[in-house]
Each structure stands twice: as C-alpha cells, then as structure tokens.
C-alpha cells in the first residue's frame, strides 16, 4: 500500500556509536520490529549487531529480498517510538540480510497510550468539515469561487468611488511592488505621491516604499505627477486555509486622482478584506455527513478509513480538518485533527493517521473519550 508521512513525529537522532550500541543491544536485539510499510504487519528481527561497522544482521519476512528494496525502515513502540533506517548490503543466507545502519532515532515524547482496535463499528468518524478546493500558495489555476467573490467586492467598492479600483488575484508578471506586497503580506500606502516624506512612512503591517520597493524617489514622484495620481495603496487579501496557513491570494489596488488615501481608509479596507476571505471560506467549505470507519483509536488520535471519492482526492492535500468522533448511542465529540500520515489500501480507500490538535470546548468530553477507549479495551463497550 502507498504510505506518506505529512507531519512526521519529533525525533531525537542518535549520533554516538556507543549510544547506538546501547539502544540496539538493550531494546532491539532479538526483538520483533515492524517494517515501515502499511499496514505494518510485516515483521523483522535483529539477530546480530556489528558495532565496528554499524551493521546489523536481520531476519526479514519471507520473500523480502525479491522486492529489490535498497532501503528499509523499521520501528518498535515501547515507552517511546524507536526507528531504525538501514541500507541493504547483501543477503547472508536464506532470510537473513546484512544491512548498514544509517540512522537511529527515538521519539521526543512518550507514547500517551496504546492504540485500541475499534471493532464492529463501535465508533465512527462523521461530519467532516473540509474545503471543496484546497487553496495553496502557488496555485496555477485560481478557483472560480475566488474570482467571483473578488469581482463582487470590486463592484461594491466602485459604486461609491471615482477612484481607480482593482481587486484581483496575484498573477505572474506583476510589477515588483505587487510581488513585495505578496511576499511580505504587508500593505503599501502612499498618502501623498508628491510628498517625499510619504515614501518613508511605515508600520508593523505597512511597507516603507524607499527601503522595501525603490529608493529612486525623485523618479517615482515624477512618474506619479505625469499620471496625475495623488495617492495610491495596495492591500493584500490574506486567506487562511482550513489549516490556518496564511496565503496571499489577491490584492486591493486603489489609485486616486482627487484625494489623499488615509491610514483609516487602509484599515477599513482591511475589514473589507477579512469579509472577502470569510465569504470565500464559507463558499469553499463542505460538511460530509457520511459515516467513516475508525480502525483504531488512542488518547491522542485515530486511524480512519475514508471511502468517499472526493475526500480520497482532497484530504491528502490538506494538513488537517474538523470532524466528529461518534461512539454508538452517544453524543458526538467534535475534534480538530492534523493529518500525520496517509495511505491507500488495496481497494483504493484512503487510510488516515490523525492526531488531535485541540481539546474540546465542552468540559468533560475528553474524559468521556478516554473512558470509551478504556471500555473498548476491556471489551465492555
């Protein structure tokens, strides 16, 4: 099965030969390790450690050598997760292989609790809150819902203004000042294009034109004078996706020929920008009420199987989402989860490893979740 880690766990890498020897001989020698290949049911055993060359003799699953794999990662979960990455050297005999230890690592955090198999549909995932389209920083094709909302807000602004107003997505080939606004996620405001002092005014969310854009102020002043532009501003539109990643998707660009644009007006456009983003996010959000199988659960997260074709396509592109964990005959538990890894089984279903990002807003819900895990572990649920 395909297997991809999105947010790998925090690991401490063992560099010292003595420490490697200690970990392997004390915790891994003659122990069953899992190959890091989903569904992690293939097992291997380290039979010997050659300290001087940092090599291991490992009994691998039957037929492993026929796969032609040159790299192999194995792990064991004790109080902490231990991972060993090796390079294939040669076959020794039958199912024994000589491998070079390239990396040995131990998780920074202890495992919070065992994974409990969820049998007979005793818990399911439902009410997944996800985007219809995953909006990324460097999208080649801008979704129609963004274009429609930007056009709507441009028309609203133009109704009561004689200024030149453009509300558009960032595209290749724009003037350098637009690129800097996009990269910095800061606004540019020239209150008075004929006043040299306007070019050095800045703030926490405002660019300094003379330092950040162009220091040839005299030439810029002449250019604005020729174009009869009194004042100019560019405000980025920052979209926060469902994983709270800030993405500059577009800009508000206003040039006035008859009045000075003020910081207060820039702030007002900030509120408009937030409104635009809220509307785009609302248009881009979908709630999937189907029930999805939870394969196992732990205090920190769940493994879930997704069969919906649209979610199979979109979820691997995301960092996380909101969902309900629903135990039989109980009220749902709403959680925010990060996608730690994903894969697909033989039937094309998406398998997700989810880690809970935040506790529920409702008092006692985490305790109820843990209690359900304990009951399932005892077979009492």
């Amino acid at each position: 099965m395909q297997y991809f880690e999105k947010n790998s766990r925090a690991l401490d890498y063992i560099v010292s030969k003595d420490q490697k020897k200690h970990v392997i001989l004390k915790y891994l020698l003659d122990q069953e390790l899992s190959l890091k290949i989903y569904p992690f049911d293939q097992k291997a055993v380290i039979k010997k450690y050659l300290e001087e060359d940092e090599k291991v003799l490992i009994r691998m699953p039957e037929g492993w050598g026929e796969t032609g794999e040159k790299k192999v990662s194995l792990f064991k979960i004790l109080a902490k997760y231990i991972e060993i990455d090796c390079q294939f050297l040669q076959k020794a005999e039958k199912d024994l292989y000589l491998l070079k230890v390239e990396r040995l690592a131990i998780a920074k955090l202890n495992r919070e609790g065992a994974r409990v198999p969820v049998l007979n549909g005793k818990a399911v995932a439902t009410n997944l809150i996800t985007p219809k389209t995953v909006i990324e920083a460097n999208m080649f094709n801008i979704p129609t819902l963004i274009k429609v909302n930007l056009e709507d807000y441009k028309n609203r602004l133009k109704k009561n203004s004689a200024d030149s107003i453009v509300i558009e997505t960032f595209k290749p080939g724009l003037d350098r000042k637009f690129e800097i606004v996009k990269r910095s996620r800061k606004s540019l405001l020239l209150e008075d294009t004929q006043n040299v002092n306007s070019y050095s005014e800045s703030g926490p969310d405002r660019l300094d034109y003379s330092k950040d854009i162009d220091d040839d102020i005299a030439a810029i002043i002449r250019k604005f004078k020729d174009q009869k532009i009194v004042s100019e501003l560019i405000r980025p539109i920052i979209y926060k996706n469902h994983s709270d990643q800030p993405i500059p998707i577009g800009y508000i660009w206003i040039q006035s020929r008859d009045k000075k644009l003020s910081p207060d007006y820039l702030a007002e456009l900030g509120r408009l920008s937030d409104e635009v983003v809220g509307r785009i996010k609302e248009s881009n959000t979908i709630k999937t009420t189907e029930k999805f199988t939870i394969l196992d659960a732990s205090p920190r997260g769940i493994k879930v199987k997704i069969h919906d074709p649209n979610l199979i396509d979109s979820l691997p592109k995301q960092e996380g989402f909101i969902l309900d964990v629903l135990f039989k005959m109980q009220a749902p538990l709403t959680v925010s989860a990060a996608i730690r890894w994903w894969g697909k089984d033989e039937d094309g279903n998406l398998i997700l490893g989810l880690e809970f990002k935040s506790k529920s807003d409702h008092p006692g819900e985490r305790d109820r979740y843990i209690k359900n895990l304990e009951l399932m572990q005892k077979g009492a649920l």
Side-chain angles (χ1 to χ4, degrees), residues 143-311:
T144 302
L145 65 95
I146 292 180
K147 295 177 182 176
V148 167
N149 279 291
L150 295 187
E151 184 68 21
D152 182 43
Y153 276 85
K154 179 178 74 173
N155 292 335
R156 281 173 53 180
L157 267 182
K158 280 189 167 183
K159 275 184 181 178
N160 303 309
S161 176
D163 297 332
S164 169
I165 298 175
V166 175
I167 302 182
E168 187 56 271
T169 56
F170 286 107
K171 295 175 181 175
L174 286 170
D175 191 88
R176 181 170 173 270
K177 60 188 176 184
F178 292 94
E179 293 297 330
I180 294 171
V181 166
K182 179 182 178 181
R183 185 170 64 246
S184 66
R185 302 200 294 270
K186 291 184 177 183
S187 299
L188 176 65
L189 172 62
L190 294 174
E191 291 185 60
D192 183 350
T193 62
Q194 300 307 298
N195 184 344
V196 69
N197 294 325
S198 286
Y199 292 81
S200 57
E201 292 176 348
S202 62
D205 297 314
R206 276 179 59 184
L207 293 166
D208 180 324
Y209 195 102
S210 61
K211 290 181 181 178
D212 302 317
I213 311 294
D214 194 339
D215 58 4
D216 188 359
I217 304 305
I220 300 300
I221 287 176
R222 287 195 301 272
K223 183 178 179 181
F224 278 125
K225 186 176 182 180
D226 291 343
Q227 295 174 339
K228 296 182 172 57
I229 294 170
V230 173
S231 192
E232 177 182 70
L233 69 77
I234 306 171
R235 172 124 204 163
I237 299 172
I238 310 297
Y239 179 89
K240 278 200 171 183
N241 63 17
H242 287 67
S243 303
D244 259 359
Q245 178 189 12
I247 299 172
I249 56 169
Y251 58 89
I252 302 170
W253 178 31
I254 299 179
Q255 291 181 321
S256 180
R257 288 180 163 82
D258 60 4
K259 65 177 180 296
K260 295 176 183 177
L261 304 173
S262 69
D264 287 344
Y265 184 55
L266 181 65
E268 184 183 328
L269 290 178
R271 291 187 286 275
L272 175 72
S273 174
D274 291 341
E275 189 180 330
V276 173
V277 167
R279 188 162 156 186
I280 290 171
K281 199 162 191 176
E282 185 179 339
S283 303
N284 194 35
T285 298
I286 188 169
K287 183 177 185 178
T288 305
T289 57
E290 283 187 74
K291 292 181 172 61
F292 301 99
T293 302
I294 295 177
L295 301 172
D296 64 44
S298 75
R300 294 187 64 185
I302 57 175
K303 180 166 70 178
V304 61
K305 179 165 73 174
I306 304 293
H307 57 266
D308 180 273
N310 292 326
L311 294 178

Side-chain angles (χ1 to χ4, degrees), residues 50-74:
L50 307 174
E51 180 186 356
E52 185 177 344
D53 299 319
E54 295 185 84
K55 297 175 183 176
V56 286
L57 190 66
I58 300 186
R59 175 170 288 120
M60 299 294 285
E62 186 177 347
W64 179 81
E66 297 169 8
T67 64
E69 293 287 340
K70 297 299 181 184
K71 302 270 188 180
V72 58
S73 293
L74 308 105

Side-chain angles (χ1 to χ4, degrees), residues 74-93:
L74 308 105
F75 67 90
K76 185 157 187 74
I77 298 173
L78 301 167
K80 290 186 177 181
Y81 170 94
I82 302 175
E83 182 175 298
I84 182 169
D85 299 328
C86 302
Q87 169 79 35
F88 169 77
L89 296 177
Q90 66 184 71
K91 183 173 183 177
E93 57 176 86

Side-chain angles (χ1 to χ4, degrees), residues 89 98 108 325 364:
L89 296 177
L98 189 64
K108 293 179 182 289
V325 176

